Amino acid sequence: MTVPAIRVLFFTNRLGGGGAEMQALRVANALDPAEFEVDVAVCRAGGEYERLLAPTAALHHLAPARVRSSTVGLVAAALPLRRLVQQRAPHIVCSFMDGANAVAALAVRRSGGHPRLVACVQNPLSQELDDPRHPVKRAVFAAVRRTYPRADAIVALARGVAADLVHHIPDAAPRVTVIHNAGVDDGLPERARQPLDPDVGPVPHPLVLACGRLAPQKGYPDLLDAFASIQPDTGATLWILGDGPDRRALEARVAQLRLAQAVRFLGFRKNPYAFMSRADVFVLSSLYEGFGNVVVEAMASGAPVVATDCPHGPGEIIRDGESGLLVPVADPARLAAAIRRVLQDRTLAGHLVAQGRRRAQDFHVTKIGAEYAALFRRLA
């Protein structure tokens, strides 16, 4: 007798651009097609992760192609998502990020069917609401405050994120479970061995690498100040992968520190793992994170990691002195000391690489996907 498939509809803004979107992709791809029938709905088309979606999953673009704003895209996708839920009749609707979670809750409630809603929270609400005067943030918070207590499950990607959510929305507590992000998949080691993009040129050594959006959250001014103090005696080069609104300000800071010959902003790269595997140290200087996917990805790629012990992810990933080094947030001096220590103590660096690779397997997509599959089975 054939067991009917569990139909799961994933929903997010776009398949591209960040850790939440990569998490949605990895979970969708990890589900066994013999047991799960997967649809992925996105507001905006053209995300760079779309090409990585498993051929067994159906991809749906909901908002008009002309829409470029993520906020407008969510609003425009609300009615098409409701229709898709009615058409596909999923057992589970699993959405990622607060705005998408609110829209998914509305679509489920008005679809006339009875799918279970799984809302995946990828960032701490405290940071998402750091500017209560922002009208969009205010509207999103009002929406999730109403909808999260009604969700069938809320997945927080870290224990700190879960505690923060319950602090702001106590009624949601019974629904909350923690499933860490999937930072590793079977294809990562091969991609880490691939050559760098042709425009990059030779790899300098020692190489310090950072990767993430050029935005205040990532603490790049602290990294630049730390790097300025170690560059003269180590001869290191700093490469930063990613784009964002702070690029001009950071470039100006590099010029002010007279580091123009030692720092390169390389923009978004489709394969950051090839860079990570060649780095002498990978640095996360964030002021806060939801989880910090890049920490796991760098570990799996073979880079020793130095990270700020920021809310809420790195401290749940790294055991200080074993799988990486943790330093206080917004402390360039301590950050510099940790980077210098890894660059100058190759025995330590080798130990961090070995233990980091081992720790990264705890976040393999097979393990994390199995946790999501177990949740979906229970709800369906």
Side-chain angles (χ1 to χ4, degrees):
M1 180 178 176
T2 302
V3 179
I6 297 173
R7 295 185 298 277
V8 182
L9 171 60
F10 291 93
F11 173 61
T12 190
N13 195 308
R14 187 169 176 259
L15 277 187
E21 294 84 352
M22 178 57 76
Q23 172 71 353
L25 172 79
R26 284 174 169 157
V27 175
N29 284 350
L31 296 181
D32 183 356
E35 183 181 4
F36 294 92
E37 182 179 324
V38 173
D39 288 273
V40 178
V42 297
C43 300
R44 296 185 296 153
E48 60 270 16
Y49 303 156
E50 288 187 7
R51 61 189 175 84
L52 303 175
L53 185 64
T56 53
L59 178 63
H60 308 267
H61 299 135
L62 301 181
R66 65 180 179 276
V67 172
R68 292 292 178 264
S69 163
S70 58
T71 302
V72 174
L74 282 170
V75 173
L79 181 57
L81 179 62
R82 188 184 78 184
R83 291 170 177 163
L84 184 63
V85 171
Q86 292 171 331
Q87 174 192 349
R88 301 296 292 167
H91 298 97
I92 306 287
V93 174
C94 181
S95 53
F96 288 79
M97 301 294 283
D98 294 316
N101 293 340
V103 171
L106 180 66
V108 165
R109 190 166 68 248
R110 295 186 177 180
S111 67
H114 302 283
R116 303 292 192 177
L117 175 65
V118 178
C120 299
V121 179
Q122 296 280 302
N123 284 309
L125 281 180
S126 291
Q127 301 298 339
E128 291 295 284
L129 303 171
D130 60 356
D131 183 2
R133 298 167 299 178
H134 194 291
V136 173
K137 291 182 177 181
R138 195 166 61 241
V140 169
F141 179 64
V144 299
R145 187 168 53 186
R146 291 194 304 271
T147 58
Y148 281 176
R150 302 178 195 169
D152 295 282
I154 303 169
V155 176
L157 77 171
R159 292 187 296 273
V161 171
D164 183 81
L165 188 152
V166 171
H167 171 75
H168 286 285
I169 311 177
D171 291 347
R175 315 292 190 186
V176 177
T177 187
V178 176
I179 303 178
H180 290 117
N181 267 7
V184 186
D185 57 40
D186 289 337
L188 189 150
E190 190 279 328
R191 294 196 294 276
R193 291 190 292 269
Q194 290 179 357
L196 298 182
D197 300 326
D199 64 302
V200 173
V203 178
H205 288 287
L207 175 62
V208 180
L209 182 72
C211 178
R213 182 170 165 77
L214 305 184
Q217 172 193 350
K218 300 301 182 180
Y220 285 126
D222 297 327
L223 174 57
L224 292 176
D225 288 347
F227 182 72
S229 72
I230 67 162
Q231 202 283 327
D233 61 292
T234 64
T237 297
L238 171 63
W239 286 359
I240 299 176
L241 310 183
D243 282 314
D246 286 2
R247 178 158 186 160
R248 287 188 178 180
L250 293 172
E251 289 174 336
R253 181 61 177 158
V254 167
Q256 183 182 11
L257 294 169
R258 299 183 180 180
L259 292 173
Q261 300 305 311
V263 178
R264 290 182 68 184
F265 292 91
L266 293 173
F268 174 81
R269 298 286 166 164
K270 290 184 178 180
N271 183 10
Y273 318 118
F275 292 84
M276 293 172 178
S277 68
R278 291 162 172 83
D280 294 289
V281 58
F282 179 88
V283 181
L284 180 86
S285 54
S286 295
L287 307 180
Y288 68 91
E289 287 286 343
F291 180 64
N293 281 1
V294 291
V295 171
V296 176
E297 292 166 345
M299 287 174 166
S301 300
V305 173
V306 172
T308 51
D309 192 10
C310 65
H312 293 276
E316 295 185 33
I317 301 168
I318 293 173
R319 183 178 178 184
D320 188 31
E322 285 294 318
S323 48
L325 299 183
L326 291 171
V327 300
V329 175
D331 191 335
R334 296 282 291 277
L335 185 61
I339 297 170
R340 179 184 282 110
R341 185 181 170 199
V342 175
L343 293 180
Q344 295 181 344
D345 187 343
R346 301 317 294 167
T347 300
L348 171 65
H351 178 77
L352 297 181
V353 167
Q355 294 301 315
R357 285 188 189 275
R358 186 171 293 113
R359 176 59 172 152
Q361 294 309 305
D362 292 334
F363 306 98
H364 194 283
V365 67
T366 300
K367 178 180 183 297
I368 304 303
E371 294 184 35
Y372 272 89
L375 174 63
F376 294 160
R377 287 189 204 102
R378 177 170 61 81
L379 293 176

